[in-house]
Amino acid sequence: MKNKFYMSMVIIMMMLVNSSCGQSINSNNVAKAQTLVNQAGALMMSASAGEEEKVTLNKAVDLLKKSIELNDTVNVAAQSLIICYIRLKEPQKAIDICTQWLKKFPKDENARLQRGMLYYSSKEFTLADSDFDIIKAYLAKQNPTFSSNLAPAEINKIINLSFLNVVVGNQEHAIYLIDHLKTALPKNTIVDRAYLDMQKTTRDDVIRKFTGF
């Protein structure tokens, strides 16, 4: 069985860009938008399987759309809307949200990575590769240091980078990262689990885990 801890780190994609994107927004609108996001989040957490889940998620979608109308610069609302559409098995709508967001914030690697995975799952491989190539360039700039004194946060970052390289089709570099991490920390149980998981994980596995299809 795949280790859910590591797979979940890939699924949330590190939130490579997880801060508000700066524009001047009415403070009242910001507060109202955040309240709507919180309400939508509670619905998403409570949604159970089956038809009830669809009803609940659609309610969350309505709240998130209203939040974005009030304040379209905080990516948690857009991210939540993307996840709702994925859970509702509506990939094109999720892709559309990614695209709308990227028009405003083209350097948001997280949204681009999500769109790439959705294109890939929809067998739009040329479009997927266009997004993945940009993410590859971003990942190529990450040069982690390997040592026996790495802090837990640094270890997790390298593990994340490794699995992200799997997603964008750079398996060779993914193995390089995890191999060097294991060499630096041969007795670290977290690294050991990540190393074993990497041996069994394919690109399709990770993307299917994220998209659900």
Side-chain angles (χ1 to χ4, degrees), residues 8 29 39 50-51 100 109 126 129 131 137 139 144 146 172 175 207-208:
S8 67
N29 284 354
Q39 292 171 354
E51 288 301 315
Q100 291 167 19
E109 289 88 355
T126 300
D129 285 341
D131 281 336
L139 295 175
F146 301 94
E172 183 177 347
I175 296 296
I207 293 175
R208 190 180 302 113

PDB file of all heavy atoms in Angstrom, residues 8 29 39 50-51 100 109 126 129 131 137 139 144 146 172 175 207-208:
ATOM      1  N   SER A   8      -0.038  12.424  -0.055  1.00  0.00           N
ATOM      2  CA  SER A   8      -0.817  13.628   0.241  1.00  0.00           C
ATOM      3  C   SER A   8       0.021  14.881   0.046  1.00  0.00           C
ATOM      4  O   SER A   8      -0.495  15.925  -0.335  1.00  0.00           O
ATOM      5  CB  SER A   8      -1.370  13.586   1.669  1.00  0.00           C
ATOM      6  OG  SER A   8      -0.334  13.659   2.615  1.00  0.00           O
ATOM      7  N   ASN A  29     -15.041  43.684   1.790  1.00  0.00           N
ATOM      8  CA  ASN A  29     -15.151  42.580   0.846  1.00  0.00           C
ATOM      9  C   ASN A  29     -14.223  41.437   1.218  1.00  0.00           C
ATOM     10  O   ASN A  29     -14.579  40.268   1.073  1.00  0.00           O
ATOM     11  CB  ASN A  29     -14.836  43.056  -0.573  1.00  0.00           C
ATOM     12  CG  ASN A  29     -15.977  43.839  -1.186  1.00  0.00           C
ATOM     13  OD1 ASN A  29     -17.051  43.942  -0.593  1.00  0.00           O
ATOM     14  ND2 ASN A  29     -15.754  44.401  -2.359  1.00  0.00           N
ATOM     15  N   GLN A  39     -16.976  28.968   5.230  1.00  0.00           N
ATOM     16  CA  GLN A  39     -18.222  28.205   5.169  1.00  0.00           C
ATOM     17  C   GLN A  39     -18.124  27.097   4.118  1.00  0.00           C
ATOM     18  O   GLN A  39     -18.570  25.962   4.353  1.00  0.00           O
ATOM     19  CB  GLN A  39     -19.384  29.135   4.848  1.00  0.00           C
ATOM     20  CG  GLN A  39     -19.721  30.112   5.968  1.00  0.00           C
ATOM     21  CD  GLN A  39     -20.741  31.160   5.544  1.00  0.00           C
ATOM     22  OE1 GLN A  39     -21.129  31.242   4.376  1.00  0.00           O
ATOM     23  NE2 GLN A  39     -21.189  31.974   6.489  1.00  0.00           N
ATOM     24  N   GLY A  50     -21.656   9.790  -2.309  1.00  0.00           N
ATOM     25  CA  GLY A  50     -22.951   9.619  -2.944  1.00  0.00           C
ATOM     26  C   GLY A  50     -23.594  10.924  -3.364  1.00  0.00           C
ATOM     27  O   GLY A  50     -22.936  11.959  -3.520  1.00  0.00           O
ATOM     28  N   GLU A  51     -24.903  10.888  -3.558  1.00  0.00           N
ATOM     29  CA  GLU A  51     -25.634  12.062  -4.018  1.00  0.00           C
ATOM     30  C   GLU A  51     -25.557  13.211  -3.018  1.00  0.00           C
ATOM     31  O   GLU A  51     -25.532  14.380  -3.399  1.00  0.00           O
ATOM     32  CB  GLU A  51     -27.102  11.689  -4.269  1.00  0.00           C
ATOM     33  CG  GLU A  51     -27.321  10.838  -5.499  1.00  0.00           C
ATOM     34  CD  GLU A  51     -26.822  11.513  -6.771  1.00  0.00           C
ATOM     35  OE1 GLU A  51     -27.103  12.716  -6.949  1.00  0.00           O
ATOM     36  OE2 GLU A  51     -26.132  10.846  -7.558  1.00  0.00           O
ATOM     37  N   GLN A 100      -8.392  30.770 -15.648  1.00  0.00           N
ATOM     38  CA  GLN A 100      -8.786  32.118 -15.239  1.00  0.00           C
ATOM     39  C   GLN A 100      -7.793  32.688 -14.228  1.00  0.00           C
ATOM     40  O   GLN A 100      -7.420  33.863 -14.289  1.00  0.00           O
ATOM     41  CB  GLN A 100     -10.188  32.080 -14.637  1.00  0.00           C
ATOM     42  CG  GLN A 100     -11.288  31.792 -15.642  1.00  0.00           C
ATOM     43  CD  GLN A 100     -12.618  31.459 -14.981  1.00  0.00           C
ATOM     44  OE1 GLN A 100     -12.829  31.766 -13.809  1.00  0.00           O
ATOM     45  NE2 GLN A 100     -13.506  30.816 -15.723  1.00  0.00           N
ATOM     46  N   GLU A 109       2.775  28.710  -9.829  1.00  0.00           N
ATOM     47  CA  GLU A 109       3.164  27.361 -10.223  1.00  0.00           C
ATOM     48  C   GLU A 109       2.162  26.307  -9.747  1.00  0.00           C
ATOM     49  O   GLU A 109       1.988  25.264 -10.377  1.00  0.00           O
ATOM     50  CB  GLU A 109       4.562  27.016  -9.677  1.00  0.00           C
ATOM     51  CG  GLU A 109       5.710  27.752 -10.346  1.00  0.00           C
ATOM     52  CD  GLU A 109       6.003  29.087  -9.682  1.00  0.00           C
ATOM     53  OE1 GLU A 109       5.261  29.470  -8.765  1.00  0.00           O
ATOM     54  OE2 GLU A 109       6.981  29.738 -10.098  1.00  0.00           O
ATOM     55  N   THR A 126      -0.429  17.227 -24.982  1.00  0.00           N
ATOM     56  CA  THR A 126       0.341  18.375 -25.467  1.00  0.00           C
ATOM     57  C   THR A 126       0.136  19.582 -24.564  1.00  0.00           C
ATOM     58  O   THR A 126       1.102  20.277 -24.200  1.00  0.00           O
ATOM     59  CB  THR A 126      -0.074  18.731 -26.908  1.00  0.00           C
ATOM     60  OG1 THR A 126       0.179  17.601 -27.760  1.00  0.00           O
ATOM     61  CG2 THR A 126       0.723  19.926 -27.415  1.00  0.00           C
ATOM     62  N   ASP A 129       1.920  18.932 -21.252  1.00  0.00           N
ATOM     63  CA  ASP A 129       3.377  19.125 -21.339  1.00  0.00           C
ATOM     64  C   ASP A 129       3.748  20.600 -21.349  1.00  0.00           C
ATOM     65  O   ASP A 129       4.805  20.985 -20.818  1.00  0.00           O
ATOM     66  CB  ASP A 129       3.927  18.440 -22.594  1.00  0.00           C
ATOM     67  CG  ASP A 129       3.985  16.925 -22.449  1.00  0.00           C
ATOM     68  OD1 ASP A 129       3.946  16.439 -21.299  1.00  0.00           O
ATOM     69  OD2 ASP A 129       4.060  16.235 -23.483  1.00  0.00           O
ATOM     70  N   ASP A 131       2.311  22.973 -19.683  1.00  0.00           N
ATOM     71  CA  ASP A 131       2.334  23.395 -18.280  1.00  0.00           C
ATOM     72  C   ASP A 131       3.470  22.733 -17.523  1.00  0.00           C
ATOM     73  O   ASP A 131       4.170  23.377 -16.732  1.00  0.00           O
ATOM     74  CB  ASP A 131       0.995  23.062 -17.614  1.00  0.00           C
ATOM     75  CG  ASP A 131      -0.093  24.070 -17.944  1.00  0.00           C
ATOM     76  OD1 ASP A 131       0.238  25.221 -18.276  1.00  0.00           O
ATOM     77  OD2 ASP A 131      -1.280  23.711 -17.871  1.00  0.00           O
ATOM     78  N   ALA A 137      11.074  23.863 -15.298  1.00  0.00           N
ATOM     79  CA  ALA A 137      12.023  24.972 -15.206  1.00  0.00           C
ATOM     80  C   ALA A 137      12.087  25.506 -13.782  1.00  0.00           C
ATOM     81  O   ALA A 137      13.163  25.852 -13.277  1.00  0.00           O
ATOM     82  CB  ALA A 137      11.632  26.072 -16.186  1.00  0.00           C
ATOM     83  N   LEU A 139      11.368  23.738 -11.032  1.00  0.00           N
ATOM     84  CA  LEU A 139      12.005  22.719 -10.197  1.00  0.00           C
ATOM     85  C   LEU A 139      13.512  22.656 -10.426  1.00  0.00           C
ATOM     86  O   LEU A 139      14.274  22.350  -9.509  1.00  0.00           O
ATOM     87  CB  LEU A 139      11.381  21.345 -10.472  1.00  0.00           C
ATOM     88  CG  LEU A 139       9.906  21.178 -10.083  1.00  0.00           C
ATOM     89  CD1 LEU A 139       9.391  19.820 -10.528  1.00  0.00           C
ATOM     90  CD2 LEU A 139       9.721  21.363  -8.585  1.00  0.00           C
ATOM     91  N   PRO A 144      18.641  21.569  -3.549  1.00  0.00           N
ATOM     92  CA  PRO A 144      18.727  21.248  -2.121  1.00  0.00           C
ATOM     93  C   PRO A 144      20.107  20.758  -1.715  1.00  0.00           C
ATOM     94  O   PRO A 144      20.853  20.190  -2.521  1.00  0.00           O
ATOM     95  CB  PRO A 144      17.688  20.131  -1.947  1.00  0.00           C
ATOM     96  CG  PRO A 144      17.588  19.508  -3.298  1.00  0.00           C
ATOM     97  CD  PRO A 144      17.770  20.627  -4.277  1.00  0.00           C
ATOM     98  N   PHE A 146      22.242  18.258   0.672  1.00  0.00           N
ATOM     99  CA  PHE A 146      22.072  16.979   1.356  1.00  0.00           C
ATOM    100  C   PHE A 146      23.116  16.852   2.461  1.00  0.00           C
ATOM    101  O   PHE A 146      24.321  16.979   2.212  1.00  0.00           O
ATOM    102  CB  PHE A 146      22.232  15.821   0.369  1.00  0.00           C
ATOM    103  CG  PHE A 146      21.265  15.863  -0.775  1.00  0.00           C
ATOM    104  CD1 PHE A 146      21.618  16.450  -1.980  1.00  0.00           C
ATOM    105  CD2 PHE A 146      19.990  15.338  -0.636  1.00  0.00           C
ATOM    106  CE1 PHE A 146      20.724  16.491  -3.037  1.00  0.00           C
ATOM    107  CE2 PHE A 146      19.082  15.380  -1.684  1.00  0.00           C
ATOM    108  CZ  PHE A 146      19.452  15.961  -2.887  1.00  0.00           C
ATOM    109  N   GLU A 172      13.971  10.525 -13.599  1.00  0.00           N
ATOM    110  CA  GLU A 172      15.410  10.372 -13.339  1.00  0.00           C
ATOM    111  C   GLU A 172      15.868  11.322 -12.234  1.00  0.00           C
ATOM    112  O   GLU A 172      16.595  10.928 -11.318  1.00  0.00           O
ATOM    113  CB  GLU A 172      16.201  10.631 -14.618  1.00  0.00           C
ATOM    114  CG  GLU A 172      17.706  10.414 -14.458  1.00  0.00           C
ATOM    115  CD  GLU A 172      18.459  10.603 -15.757  1.00  0.00           C
ATOM    116  OE1 GLU A 172      17.813  10.659 -16.826  1.00  0.00           O
ATOM    117  OE2 GLU A 172      19.698  10.690 -15.711  1.00  0.00           O
ATOM    118  N   ILE A 175      14.485  10.258  -8.776  1.00  0.00           N
ATOM    119  CA  ILE A 175      15.283   9.188  -8.163  1.00  0.00           C
ATOM    120  C   ILE A 175      16.596   9.741  -7.625  1.00  0.00           C
ATOM    121  O   ILE A 175      17.054   9.357  -6.534  1.00  0.00           O
ATOM    122  CB  ILE A 175      15.558   8.072  -9.185  1.00  0.00           C
ATOM    123  CG1 ILE A 175      14.238   7.399  -9.601  1.00  0.00           C
ATOM    124  CG2 ILE A 175      16.531   7.050  -8.629  1.00  0.00           C
ATOM    125  CD1 ILE A 175      13.524   6.679  -8.485  1.00  0.00           C
ATOM    126  N   ILE A 207      -0.884  11.304 -10.447  1.00  0.00           N
ATOM    127  CA  ILE A 207      -1.885  12.172 -11.072  1.00  0.00           C
ATOM    128  C   ILE A 207      -3.287  11.623 -10.862  1.00  0.00           C
ATOM    129  O   ILE A 207      -4.224  12.362 -10.602  1.00  0.00           O
ATOM    130  CB  ILE A 207      -1.559  12.362 -12.569  1.00  0.00           C
ATOM    131  CG1 ILE A 207      -0.244  13.157 -12.703  1.00  0.00           C
ATOM    132  CG2 ILE A 207      -2.696  13.078 -13.299  1.00  0.00           C
ATOM    133  CD1 ILE A 207       0.246  13.316 -14.113  1.00  0.00           C
ATOM    134  N   ARG A 208      -3.434  10.295 -10.939  1.00  0.00           N
ATOM    135  CA  ARG A 208      -4.749   9.692 -10.691  1.00  0.00           C
ATOM    136  C   ARG A 208      -5.165   9.905  -9.247  1.00  0.00           C
ATOM    137  O   ARG A 208      -6.354  10.117  -8.957  1.00  0.00           O
ATOM    138  CB  ARG A 208      -4.698   8.195 -11.003  1.00  0.00           C
ATOM    139  CG  ARG A 208      -6.065   7.522 -11.022  1.00  0.00           C
ATOM    140  CD  ARG A 208      -5.961   6.043 -11.340  1.00  0.00           C
ATOM    141  NE  ARG A 208      -5.298   5.817 -12.623  1.00  0.00           N
ATOM    142  CZ  ARG A 208      -4.109   5.246 -12.767  1.00  0.00           C
ATOM    143  NH1 ARG A 208      -3.421   4.861 -11.689  1.00  0.00           N
ATOM    144  NH2 ARG A 208      -3.590   5.074 -13.951  1.00  0.00           N
TER     145      ARG A 208
END
